[in-house]
Amino acid sequence: MKSRVLIALFVISAAVCGKKDTAPTVDEGFARYGVALYKTPGSVAAADWVVTLDKAEKVRIVERKQAVVNGKPVEFVKVEVAGGKSGYMQAAHIAKDTAVVTTVTPRLLQRPLATAGKGHNAAAMKPGTIVFIENSSNESGENWFEVQGQGAQFFQGWIRESECSRSTSVLEEAVILEKSAAVLANRKAAAKDLEDAKEQLR
């Protein structure tokens, strides 16, 4: 009798542990730029619009689905945003991770190697620039990120992990800085928007 109880406890314990090990994980990602979510994959109808994401906004990926766009299959993801709203967007618009350049003189290189040449449009990457991490590598004991992003121009290459930050608060500040700078650069911006942008920068 005692041995049967022990066996039963072992089976239940194994089942519970098994459930924990096989529990589905929720993917997360970041919008590469401002992009709209729609109720249906492939739709751009105003009636299907859900919400428009900000650049670098974090989302939860809850579903992946294929849809035909202009006669070609395209992967879409259903994402959930802060506040609970959800909708579909093309998977290509989502990056796995993001960071902010924090060094005064960042070096964007062609390969994860200190002696490599400059990356594509390296001068477009400045301190405070938001980058999207595509890959990572450890070379000679140093961590590197393969990144791309949009400054004055599209840029792409490798940067040392030590030259950027993945802190949520730093990312939030970088997004506010970028938005405020865009308002100040807009000659048609309303006076109130200009004042708000200046206040954000202060």
Side-chain angles (χ1 to χ4, degrees):
M1 179 69 179
K2 190 174 181 180
S3 61
R4 288 181 182 177
V5 171
L6 289 174
I7 292 171
L9 288 173
F10 175 78
V11 170
I12 292 170
S13 176
V16 170
C17 291
K19 285 181 181 178
K20 287 181 180 177
D21 291 341
T22 59
T25 56
V26 177
D27 288 336
E28 294 180 332
F30 297 83
R32 295 179 183 275
Y33 24 70
V35 59
L37 300 183
Y38 292 91
K39 295 175 184 176
T40 307
S43 175
V44 291
D48 283 341
W49 176 84
V50 177
V51 70
T52 298
L53 302 180
D54 288 322
K55 178 180 177 179
E57 185 170 344
K58 190 174 184 178
V59 297
R60 297 172 67 249
I61 301 171
V62 296
E63 183 184 358
R64 295 182 182 271
K65 184 178 282 190
Q66 293 281 331
V68 177
V69 178
N70 297 325
K72 296 181 180 180
V74 176
E75 184 184 10
F76 283 80
V77 288
K78 185 177 185 180
V79 302
E80 185 178 279
V81 301
K85 290 186 176 181
S86 62
Y88 290 93
M89 64 189 293
Q90 288 190 25
H93 299 326
I94 290 285
K96 290 182 179 178
D97 206 351
T98 187
V100 178
V101 178
T102 54
T103 187
V104 176
T105 54
R107 295 190 66 207
L108 184 70
L109 305 174
Q110 292 175 2
R111 297 184 305 283
L113 184 68
T115 56
K118 291 183 178 180
H120 181 67
N121 289 330
M125 191 179 73
K126 307 285 186 185
T129 300
I130 299 168
V131 299
F132 296 99
I133 301 170
E134 310 300 325
N135 199 359
S136 62
S137 180
N138 183 286
E139 302 295 333
S140 302
E142 192 168 26
N143 292 327
W144 294 77
F145 292 143
E146 184 180 18
V147 301
Q148 61 176 245
Q150 184 73 45
Q153 295 175 299
F154 172 82
F155 59 82
Q156 188 172 26
W158 290 83
I159 184 174
R160 290 178 174 88
E161 181 182 8
S162 59
E163 294 189 74
C164 52
S165 171
R166 286 189 286 174
S167 161
T168 300
S169 60
V170 173
L171 178 61
E172 289 171 352
E173 290 176 2
V175 170
I176 291 170
L177 173 64
E178 192 170 288
K179 284 182 177 181
S180 299
V183 171
L184 294 175
N186 182 4
R187 294 180 180 178
K188 296 182 180 180
K192 185 180 184 307
D193 292 338
L194 289 171
E195 189 56 40
D196 288 346
K198 290 177 183 178
E199 184 61 32
Q200 289 280 16
L201 289 176
R202 291 190 195 105

